[in-house]
Amino acid sequence: SRRYMASRFSEVVAQPSFLQLSLSQLQLFLDRDDLITHSECHVVQAALRWVEFNQEDRIQHLHALCKSFRRSLLSSKTCDELESKCQSRKHKLVYSNSKIQRLGQMRTETLIFFKDSFRYSDTCAPCFDPLRDTVNSMSLPKNLHGFSVAVTPQDDLYMAGGVNEPEFCASKTKIETQKVFFKYNHLMNIWEPRCEMTT
């Protein structure tokens, strides 16, 4: 979905298929408020990558693409770079007047409180935002049984743990634990299974 693509901005723009988007598709994508990116300059660089893939035909679209860039969030250096790439000096570049930060630019430090162990009834973990002085909740994988958590320098959150799955036999129900590796999608507030872990 488009929302999922927005939540995976850096991964999407690195794909070869991103370079095959039409101008209108690219504009719809870059106009979104919910792009998960740390900087508006990253939005510009993604658009320039699209232009440079077929510069002869696409450089003419740079003026149109600038309307997706939020001028108030851009550095002077980035604006100078855009000006230098424009073929025509007669027409001034027009940017978006929106001052709304992209969703990825509004992220703040959050303290997440995980218990040593979870009951099957536990479906979330409390999260404290010290900047806003608010408490939110993070959804947890269902039937979680034992886990470890890691955070990358890029603020990606991973969890390795066991998930208890009931296995139905002819006479009784047997509980089997599967070892699963998750990555947290904070836009959708879900843990996405990445792969099963081998023992």
Side-chain angles (χ1 to χ4, degrees):
S1 69
R2 291 178 181 176
R3 186 181 180 190
Y4 182 84
M5 289 175 62
S7 73
R8 292 285 183 266
F9 177 81
S10 59
E11 297 173 26
V12 168
V13 300
Q15 296 299 317
S17 56
F18 173 76
L19 303 174
Q20 305 300 328
L21 294 177
S22 66
L23 175 62
S24 59
Q25 289 173 326
L26 180 62
Q27 287 174 303
L28 284 172
F29 182 58
L30 299 183
D31 284 342
R32 297 182 66 93
D33 291 336
D34 58 354
L35 294 182
I36 300 299
T37 177
H38 294 293
S39 167
E40 190 70 11
C41 294
H42 294 168
V43 179
V44 173
Q45 293 306 317
L48 289 178
R49 181 169 175 263
W50 180 87
V51 169
E52 290 164 2
F53 179 72
N54 186 0
Q55 186 162 334
E56 186 176 343
D57 292 336
R58 294 180 176 179
I59 192 65
Q60 61 181 317
H61 300 312
L62 191 55
H63 280 83
L65 289 171
C66 281
K67 295 176 182 177
S68 297
F69 308 147
R70 300 172 184 193
R71 177 65 185 87
S72 63
L73 305 177
L74 289 175
S75 66
S76 299
K77 181 180 178 181
T78 300
C79 291
D80 290 342
E81 181 183 3
L82 288 168
E83 293 282 353
S84 69
K85 291 182 180 294
C86 280
Q87 291 178 322
S88 174
R89 306 287 186 213
K90 297 179 181 178
H91 304 290
K92 189 175 180 180
L93 292 179
V94 178
Y95 298 94
S96 167
N97 291 324
S98 176
K99 296 182 180 180
I100 299 173
Q101 290 182 306
R102 312 282 185 170
L103 187 59
Q105 297 161 13
M106 295 187 286
R107 292 189 292 183
T108 62
E109 182 179 281
T110 301
L111 304 176
I112 306 170
F113 298 92
F114 293 110
K115 298 180 183 178
D116 289 337
S117 61
F118 289 104
R119 301 185 305 272
Y120 293 152
S121 59
D122 289 331
T123 58
C124 63
C127 307
F128 175 63
D129 183 338
L131 183 64
R132 298 185 175 92
D133 195 28
T134 58
V135 177
N136 301 301
S137 63
M138 168 187 284
S139 296
L140 296 172
K142 293 181 179 180
N143 301 327
L144 188 66
H145 177 70
F147 67 93
S148 59
V149 177
V151 182
T152 70
Q154 293 75 35
D155 295 328
D156 288 323
L157 189 60
Y158 292 92
M159 178 185 288
V163 174
N164 286 336
E165 296 288 351
E167 189 176 275
F168 298 99
C169 303
S171 57
K172 60 181 180 178
T173 301
K174 177 185 176 184
I175 301 297
E176 184 172 318
T177 300
Q178 294 181 340
K179 295 183 179 179
V180 186
F181 190 57
F182 298 94
K183 182 178 181 181
Y184 184 63
N185 181 331
H186 71 274
L187 179 63
M188 298 182 178
N189 192 22
I190 58 173
W191 288 92
E192 299 172 339
R194 307 297 286 186
C195 61
E196 289 190 12
M197 297 174 60
T198 57
T199 55

